[in-house]
Every structure is written in structure tokens, then in C-alpha cells.
Amino acid sequence: DGGITQSPKYLFRKEGQNVTLSCEQNLNHDAMYWYRQDPGQGLRLIYYSQIVNDFQKGDIAEGYSVSREKKESFPLTVTSAQKNPTAFYLCATHRGGLSGYTFGSGTRLTVV
Amino acid sequence: SQKIEQNSEALNIQEGKTATLTCNYTNYSPAYLQWYRQDPGRGPVFLLLIRENEKEKRKERLKVTFDTTLKQSLFHITASQPADSATYLCALDRGTGGFKTIFGAGTRLFVKA
């Protein structure tokens, strides 16, 4: 089955730690995205990548970093500079043209 | 600033009735609009897309309308079932490619048996 795998499902971060969220896809889509979801708010774009070895900042990139070394993979690192990282993180792909996103099942990050 | 509004209050309806969810927007001229379903603890699932020059789109029990004059989209589920209970998100796009999308916060729907 084609799809997006996000791991881990739950992640706990201590103050001052960097953590990395994994996103792998086998849909052969060029474009990949990271969104953050907080209660009562719409999804907010963190970073996106339209092609391997290239990525762009979204609306709330501060405190986050990404890489896109392979078409299938788009990991997100939440750095210690992100002051309020507790949220639900969603990875998505887009096949281009007039279509919707395909989302992964998400990673819930909690600061302890 | 650009804004999308979906009713933050949950919608409760009886099984078999039609559920109607609203998406309003301001300061935006979308090329198309999308609706997604999201279950608790899961990622959104794409349901329907409607372009600015389309008035209505249907898919099985789902119907979406798009009124660019009123700056509003309505999402209807006919003959609703308890399995339709979920949060429904609307999203607006200015162009193709996916990186110009704005998402609403969603409306929670409860369908009672």
C-alpha cells in the first residue's frame, strides 16, 4: 500500500533537547510538507520541499530544521530554540496539480 | 489578514439527517477549496476539491458548494451515519502545488444513532 509513515507516534522531549521526527513516503510524490496542529487552530506550515535537496521555510519555521536528501524522506528536527513545541505534527505529500494532500498519521510531541 | 472561519462549536445531529458545515473566508481569493476529514489522533484525509468556477461538487453522500461572492463554502453529508462523526477541515488554495494552502481549525460533527 502506498502511503506516508510517521514515527514515532508519541515523543517526549526534555527542555533543551533536540528531537527528530521521521517522515517516509512511498507515493513517489515530489512535494513534502510539515504542518503543526494546535487545538482550536488550523494547520500551520513549518517547512516544505518541492524537490530533493531543496526546501523552503513556511509560516512558523523558527526553532525547526529539515533536510531532504532523498525523495522518500523528509525528517523534521525540533530544536531547543522552539519555545513551545508541544503539538501534533503532521507530514504530508502533494502530487502536484489540482489535488489534495496526503497526510501521515502524525506525531504527538510533548515537552516534559 | 487572510482568515478562514469554521464553526468552532460542535454540530450534533441525528442519524439519517443531513449535516451542513460552513467555511467562511476573508481577504483571500482562492483558486480552489478542499475539504478533509480528521479522526482523533489521526492525520486529515482528503475528501473533495472544488474550483472557483464550480458551484457544486458531489461524491457519494457528500456535496460541496462554493460561493465566491459570499466567500463561503458549504459541506453537506446526506443520510448521515454515526461513522461520519469526525472533525471536518476546509482549506483554501491560491494556486496549484500545495504550498499556498490555508487550513481552517475544523468543525467537530457528532452523529447520534
Side-chain angles (χ1 to χ4, degrees):
Chain A
D1 273 338
I4 300 172
T5 301
Q6 287 189 242
S7 62
K9 189 168 177 64
Y10 299 97
L11 186 56
F12 297 91
R13 191 194 92 166
K14 293 182 180 178
E15 296 282 352
Q17 266 187 344
N18 292 353
V19 292
T20 298
L21 285 60
S22 171
C23 177
E24 302 282 331
Q25 59 115 346
N26 60 5
L27 297 167
N28 201 34
H29 291 171
D30 285 315
M32 297 188 73
Y33 306 80
W34 275 104
Y35 282 94
R36 169 179 171 145
Q37 187 173 36
D38 294 280
Q41 296 190 42
L43 304 184
R44 291 183 291 168
L45 182 63
I46 304 172
Y47 268 98
Y48 64 96
S49 168
Q50 294 180 275
I51 198 165
V52 175
N53 292 322
D54 186 54
F55 49 83
Q56 306 295 329
K57 292 181 179 180
D59 300 317
I60 56 166
E62 186 176 348
Y64 300 97
S65 66
V66 294
S67 62
R68 187 84 187 276
E69 297 176 2
K70 299 186 302 181
K71 187 174 185 176
E72 300 80 16
S73 180
F74 192 40
L76 174 74
T77 296
V78 184
T79 74
S80 57
Q82 171 49 240
K83 297 307 176 191
N84 185 23
T86 296
F88 190 50
Y89 290 86
L90 289 160
C91 177
T93 68
H94 197 282
R95 64 176 174 84
L98 212 60
S99 63
Y101 290 89
T102 302
F103 284 90
S105 55
T107 293
R108 187 165 299 281
L109 174 62
T110 304
V111 174
V112 296
Chain B
S1 63
Q2 300 159 352
K3 203 172 175 182
I4 297 182
E5 288 184 348
Q6 294 187 257
N7 196 339
S8 59
E9 290 185 17
L11 178 63
N12 291 282
I13 65 166
Q14 201 67 35
E15 182 177 11
K17 301 293 186 184
T18 296
T20 298
L21 285 69
T22 305
C23 177
N24 295 300
Y25 60 93
T26 56
N27 298 326
Y28 203 68
S29 296
Y32 59 95
L33 185 149
Q34 307 169 54
W35 283 90
Y36 290 81
R37 170 187 172 135
Q38 187 175 23
D39 292 289
R42 306 298 299 270
V45 174
F46 172 67
L47 296 175
L48 278 168
L49 181 151
I50 185 166
R51 291 179 291 184
E52 60 177 335
N53 59 353
E54 297 177 310
K55 296 291 185 193
E56 182 179 297
K57 201 82 170 275
R58 291 176 186 259
K59 180 183 175 183
E60 298 172 354
R61 295 184 296 112
L62 308 180
K63 185 178 86 170
V64 172
T65 63
F66 193 10
D67 189 327
T68 56
T69 301
L70 291 178
K71 294 187 182 296
Q72 181 182 79
S73 174
L74 299 178
F75 177 80
H76 307 273
I77 305 175
T78 59
S80 60
Q81 306 164 0
D84 295 325
S85 298
T87 297
Y88 292 86
L89 313 179
C90 73
L92 304 178
D93 273 274
R94 272 203 296 270
T96 60
F99 53 90
K100 301 285 187 187
T101 309
I102 298 178
F103 283 85
T107 298
R108 188 77 193 269
L109 172 67
F110 291 99
V111 181
K112 292 180 283 188

